[in-house]
Amino acid sequence: MEADRGVQLRAWVEYYRDLGVYDFYRRGEAGEGGIASNPAPEDEVLEIVQSAVVASPPVAVPSGLVARIRPPDISVVSTTSGEMATRLVSFDSLAPLPASSVPIDQRAAALRALRKEIGDCTRCPLAYAGRKKIVFGDGSPGARLMFVGEGPGADEDAQGVPFVGKAGQLLNNMISAMGLQREDVYIANIVKCRPPGNRVPEPVEANTCSQFLLKQVDIIRPQVIVALGSTAATYLLGVKQSLSGLRGRWHSCRGAKLAVTYHPAFLLRDPRQKGEAWKDLQMVMAEMGLKSPARK
Ligand code: URA
């Protein structure tokens, strides 16, 4: 019980660190290993966390489908070198799955309401980093298959639609090869605003934005999610692991089966890996009972 409380408090500390509240986290750093090896007494941590809750700007937690967004239930992990691993928030631990799914004829409206809730978002630093359009998502609200990328690039930022540039053309081809059309699937990204220079989203950006992708997944309830590249896999699964360690097997995310494959932008840079990506997609097709057009 006491141990659980300690883990939970530590989860709060990590959560606030991801939100950019660092001060309490530095306690105990004087030695080495920070809070993990020299934890502040629990009461002290609780006090600091409580004052951080009051002092920090509120994180907008939309009401509706997902009843309660809470800090993750995570235990402390350290790398083999003894360093603290980057804290990530997995979608599965972010909120309980809604008890019932949104009826298919109400999903489009639910997605529109969610888009309205996001508004002209200023919840994370990407709002001030030159974004032109918020890229919400694209495709069928009734999709059985969902693709998740990293974040919008220049073309997507200009048009407000995910995967419309060169990587998007390749993704369209991948979808066609699976015997589907782009309109049949749903496409979204970990972050909805373009990171400057197409850099990888920072944890605070991804963790702030993920609540909305989480809700999109919960509205659509796809049978299968394909994580495109390492950033999508990292935040959907809450683990930071090499793609090679994650590909070729099933994971789970919000009641869906999740497969990991290469990001189309990576495949454009290294087309020799297209065969490997095709193997990943074939695993998805087998699960969904899809046949490629040539074999129909
Ligand atoms: N890359 C992504 O990860 N997402 C897009 O929408 C476009 C390119």
Side-chain angles (χ1 to χ4, degrees), residues 16-178:
Y16 275 90
R17 189 198 62 171
D18 278 346
L19 292 175
V21 183
Y22 289 97
D23 283 8
F24 59 82
Y25 193 71
R26 294 207 187 94
R27 286 177 181 235
E29 251 180 19
E32 50 297 315
I35 203 159
S37 62
N38 187 15
E42 282 184 4
D43 286 351
E44 207 178 325
V45 175
L46 182 59
E47 208 180 288
I48 300 159
V49 170
Q50 279 168 345
S51 59
V53 174
V54 176
S56 60
V59 182
V61 179
S63 58
L65 266 184
V66 177
R68 203 160 65 94
I69 304 252
R70 57 180 168 79
D73 288 321
I74 43 176
S75 53
V76 175
V77 283
S78 56
T79 61
T80 43
S81 63
E83 298 157 16
M84 289 295 291
T86 308
R87 188 61 53 200
L88 305 159
V89 179
S90 102
F91 274 33
D92 272 341
S93 62
L94 207 54
L97 257 184
S100 56
S101 52
V102 179
I104 194 152
D105 60 341
Q106 293 173 27
R107 288 185 195 164
L111 289 170
R112 278 197 302 276
L114 181 60
R115 176 63 190 90
K116 206 169 156 202
E117 192 173 315
I118 293 173
D120 192 19
C121 185
T122 55
R123 294 168 179 87
C124 96
L126 291 180
Y128 308 100
R131 129 191 125 202
K132 294 195 183 74
K133 288 200 171 144
I134 293 174
V135 180
F136 179 69
D138 184 38
S140 167
R144 288 169 63 213
L145 176 61
M146 183 162 177
F147 289 91
V148 177
E150 179 176 294
D155 295 313
E156 292 77 18
D157 181 49
Q159 296 182 41
V161 182
F163 282 98
V164 288
K166 287 206 174 100
Q169 279 164 25
L170 179 54
L171 179 59
N172 291 348
N173 293 343
M174 290 158 70
I175 293 167
S176 306
M178 297 175 79

Side-chain angles (χ1 to χ4, degrees), residues 197-246:
N198 297 344
R199 66 159 168 74
V200 174
E202 295 290 342
V204 65
E205 297 158 354
N207 290 340
T208 303
C209 204
S210 62
Q211 59 183 303
F212 299 110
L213 180 56
L214 167 87
K215 284 190 167 186
Q216 284 168 291
V217 174
D218 285 351
I219 290 169
I220 295 165
R221 287 265 182 127
Q223 178 187 349
V224 173
I225 299 174
V226 177
L228 298 167
S230 136
T231 302
T234 296
Y235 289 100
L236 290 168
L237 297 175
V239 295
K240 194 153 178 64
Q241 221 179 300
S242 68
L243 273 201
S244 55
L246 295 169

Side-chain angles (χ1 to χ4, degrees), residues 260-274:
V260 175
T261 193
Y262 294 113
H263 192 289
F266 170 78
L267 295 174
L268 289 173
R269 288 196 300 275
D270 187 357
R272 287 169 307 174
Q273 302 304 327
K274 282 184 181 175

